[in-house]
Amino acid sequence: MAPFYKIFWTIRAVLYKAVFGGFGFPSYIGRPTFLLGTRRMHIGKRIRIFPGLRAECHGQGRLFISDNVSIGQNFHVIAGGDLHIESGCLISGDVFVTDIDHTFEKVNMPVFDQPDKVSPTRIGENCFLGIGARIQAGTILGDGCIVGANAVVRGIFPPHSVLVGAPARVVKRYNTECEMWERC
């Protein structure tokens, strides 16, 4: 007999399938904090999202989470364009990912009344984001990148890079010829 909680997961998945743009099975989303634009959210198969999800699709923004991704508690994601989290990613708790920046062109106007700037953001396959990481608009993480705890990341990073700090910088890369990690 299946554990009792899996029955609730299945019921919740059926309900989410009706309100999301796509919702693969078996996927699980713990009790969310806030969801906006669910019809533009596409959740793959075998996705595990712990409670506290805050997911927002603004304007024409779309969120794509590929298959076999695990996301920790209190994950906050904002999409203003097409934001992709590719398969095999492990995202720790309290992580923030966005493709939107606020503009500050008019000093006499509140920031929230000014237009947003959307920059492509993508988390490559098999990436690991440490607890508290902040992935800012315009960040492209190559496949297999590792982001340290509390790192603040903006930029384009090659596959198999280790990023730490605020602002984040590459401290190691995997050398495919030697099959070893090398310090930068």
Side-chain angles (χ1 to χ4, degrees), residues 46-50 68-72 88-92:
R46 297 182 327 184
I47 304 302
R48 291 137 344 253
I49 302 176
F50 283 83
N68 195 29
V69 172
S70 181
I71 299 174
C89 288
L90 175 59
I91 300 175
S92 299

Side-chain angles (χ1 to χ4, degrees), residues 136-150:
Q136 297 181 321
T139 297
I140 308 293
L141 293 179
D143 295 346
C145 282
I146 299 169
V147 176
N150 297 313

Side-chain angles (χ1 to χ4, degrees), residues 62-83:
R62 298 185 302 172
L63 173 63
F64 298 91
I65 302 177
S66 295
D67 297 341
N68 195 29
V69 172
S70 181
I71 299 174
Q73 73 281 358
N74 303 321
F75 179 58
H76 186 180
V77 59
I78 302 173
D82 286 356
L83 192 152

Side-chain angles (χ1 to χ4, degrees), residues 61-138:
R62 298 185 302 172
L63 173 63
F64 298 91
I65 302 177
S66 295
D67 297 341
N68 195 29
V69 172
S70 181
I71 299 174
Q73 73 281 358
N74 303 321
F75 179 58
H76 186 180
V77 59
I78 302 173
D82 286 356
L83 192 152
H84 291 266
I85 299 172
E86 301 298 345
S87 65
C89 288
L90 175 59
I91 300 175
S92 299
D94 301 313
V95 169
F96 175 68
V97 178
T98 188
D99 66 357
I100 295 177
D101 277 317
H102 293 288
T103 58
F104 305 98
E105 301 300 320
K106 299 177 182 167
V107 295
N108 296 326
M109 179 185 287
V111 173
F112 52 78
D113 288 335
Q114 298 186 40
D116 292 327
K117 179 183 175 192
V118 177
S119 302
T121 299
R122 177 184 175 270
I123 310 299
E125 290 183 1
N126 304 318
C127 287
F128 171 72
L129 306 183
I131 194 162
R134 304 294 186 244
I135 309 300
Q136 297 181 321

Side-chain angles (χ1 to χ4, degrees), residues 6-72:
K6 289 190 178 183
I7 295 168
F8 287 111
W9 288 6
T10 303
I11 293 168
R12 190 176 284 158
V14 169
L15 295 173
Y16 282 143
K17 194 168 186 77
V19 297
F20 278 75
F23 195 86
F25 188 81
S27 288
Y28 164 77
I29 296 179
R31 184 173 295 195
T33 302
F34 182 78
L35 298 173
L36 175 69
T38 55
R39 287 277 179 218
R40 294 186 308 280
M41 295 179 193
H42 304 272
I43 309 297
K45 296 175 184 173
R46 297 182 327 184
I47 304 302
R48 291 137 344 253
I49 302 176
F50 283 83
L53 169 67
R54 179 175 174 178
E56 307 170 41
C57 289
H58 293 274
Q60 299 302 310
R62 298 185 302 172
L63 173 63
F64 298 91
I65 302 177
S66 295
D67 297 341
N68 195 29
V69 172
S70 181
I71 299 174

